Structures are given as C-alpha cells and as structure tokens.
C-alpha cells in the first residue's frame, strides 16, 4: 500500500510539472472549420429520424470504476447504442446526503470506454455545481454558487469558471439563479 501511494505521488508530480498554468489561461473562440461543418452536414443527412431523436437525449452515468465486462457497463453501452443517445451526464452514487466521489482517472476511463461505441461522439456533461471536486476526489473545492453572489464580486465567479475549465470540463451544470425570500 505504501509503495502504491509513493508511485501515485510520483505520477502526479511528473504530470503536474509537464503542464503550466499558462497552458490553460487563454480561451479563444471555438469555430467550426469548413471541414467540420461538412462532416456535421453529411452526418446529419445520414441519420434516420430515430437516430436524430436519440441524439437529443442524455442519460445519467454514475461515475465509478466499471470493467468493460461489468453488467452495469454493458447495459449502459447497450442503451447508448440502442437508443442512439447523444450525450451523457456524469454524476456519482449517493447515499442520502452523502456523495461517493470518484477518482478523476475512473471518470476519464469510463468516458473513453463509452466513446468507443457510438459512431457519433457523445457530448459529456457533468453535475459539478461546486466544481469538479463536488464529484471527483483530489481537486480544488469551491462553495455553493450562492456564495459567489453573496460576495458581490463577479470576478470570483469568473475565476471559478476559469478553474473549472482548466480541469477540462466542457459542460458543467451549475445553478444560475436563486430566489431568496425578501
């Protein structure tokens, strides 16, 4: 067990030193290239009505280790294929108010394994109202979104968004408005 922790620490150190914060600080407009637009149009024309409808649906995926032979993984993979699902929502198992957070590597492997099946890449969303650390271990923790509003400093919410983006989260679900009693 001790050697495993040492090896894990070494791996984290090596990976973290190969990337600098500057690699993730600059965002740019994402534009679909001409070839990307052509791919989208060709793909859309090839889809049946059932496939087009399936692309509009999302299934919730509990992020935990699943072997590709695990019945839960096989059922999930088969659902995605059978119904032509277009996206998945990552979350974690819960027991009442307690969340069983997962390792980021487990989440990445699950996504990669699920992406191998469909001919159209899945859109991946995540239930990260308080950032990735809400569902995944070992990441920076943040308060509830209401705390950003209460602070009265929009730059704090912007920084939260930047940090979440640096964690390679393309689509994070967060509360966007709250009604407070007056």
């Amino acid at each position: 067990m001790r050697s495993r922790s040492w090896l894990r620490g070494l791996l984290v150190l090596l990976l973290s030193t190969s990337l600098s914060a500057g690699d993730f600080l600059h965002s740019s407009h994402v534009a679909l290239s001409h070839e990307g637009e052509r791919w989208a149009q060709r793909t859309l024309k090839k889809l049946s009505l059932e496939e087009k409808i399936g692309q509009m649906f999302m299934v919730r995926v509990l992020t935990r280790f699943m072997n590709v032979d695990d019945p839960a993984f096989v059922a999930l993979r088969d659902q995605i294929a059978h119904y032509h699902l277009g996206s998945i929502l990552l979350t974690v198992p819960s027991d009442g108010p307690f969340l069983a957070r997962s390792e980021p590597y487990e989440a990445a492997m699950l996504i990669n394994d699920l992406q191998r099946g469909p001919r159209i890449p899945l859109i991946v969303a995540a239930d990260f109202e308080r950032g990735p650390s809400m569902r995944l271990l070992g990441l920076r923790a943040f308060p509830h979104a209401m705390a950003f509003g209460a602070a009265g400093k929009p730059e704090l919410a912007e920084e939260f968004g930047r940090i979440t983006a640096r964690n390679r989260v393309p689509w994070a679900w967060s509360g966007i408005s709250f009604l407070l009693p007056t």
Side-chain angles (χ1 to χ4, degrees), residues 88-103:
I88 59 174
L89 168 65
L90 298 180
T91 189
V92 294
S94 64
D95 183 13
F98 302 104
L99 300 175
R101 296 185 304 158
S102 302
E103 293 288 339

Side-chain angles (χ1 to χ4, degrees), residues 5-153:
S5 295
W6 179 83
L7 184 59
R8 189 178 295 154
L10 179 63
L11 181 62
V12 168
L13 178 65
L14 290 173
L15 290 174
S16 64
T17 56
S18 66
L19 300 172
S20 70
D23 295 333
F24 303 103
L25 291 178
H26 305 288
S27 62
S28 62
H29 176 71
V30 177
L32 193 58
S33 68
H34 178 68
E35 185 162 326
E37 178 67 32
R38 285 185 42 212
W39 175 87
Q41 292 301 325
R42 282 193 319 263
T43 302
L44 192 57
K45 283 181 184 176
K46 292 178 188 176
L47 295 178
S48 68
L49 179 59
E50 183 177 315
E51 290 171 321
K52 289 174 185 175
I53 292 170
Q55 287 297 301
M56 294 189 291
F57 284 88
M58 173 184 286
V59 66
R60 187 175 72 128
V61 175
L62 296 178
T63 306
R64 60 182 177 83
F65 173 76
M66 283 194 264
N67 182 305
V68 292
D69 296 324
D70 183 321
F73 178 82
V74 171
L76 179 60
R77 184 195 61 210
D78 291 349
Q79 275 185 337
I80 291 169
H82 182 263
Y83 297 109
H84 316 288
L85 300 176
S87 58
I88 59 174
L89 168 65
L90 298 180
T91 189
V92 294
S94 64
D95 183 13
F98 302 104
L99 300 175
R101 296 185 304 158
S102 302
E103 293 288 339
Y105 181 76
E106 290 173 351
M109 289 304 299
L110 179 60
I111 293 167
N112 289 341
D113 288 339
L114 288 173
Q115 289 285 20
R116 287 188 180 94
R119 63 185 174 122
I120 299 174
L122 293 167
I123 295 173
V124 179
D127 188 9
F128 292 160
E129 297 96 28
R130 295 188 315 264
S133 69
M134 182 176 176
R135 309 280 183 211
L136 302 174
L137 297 167
L139 299 168
R140 187 170 175 186
F142 291 96
H144 290 273
M146 213 168 169
F148 292 112
K153 296 181 179 178

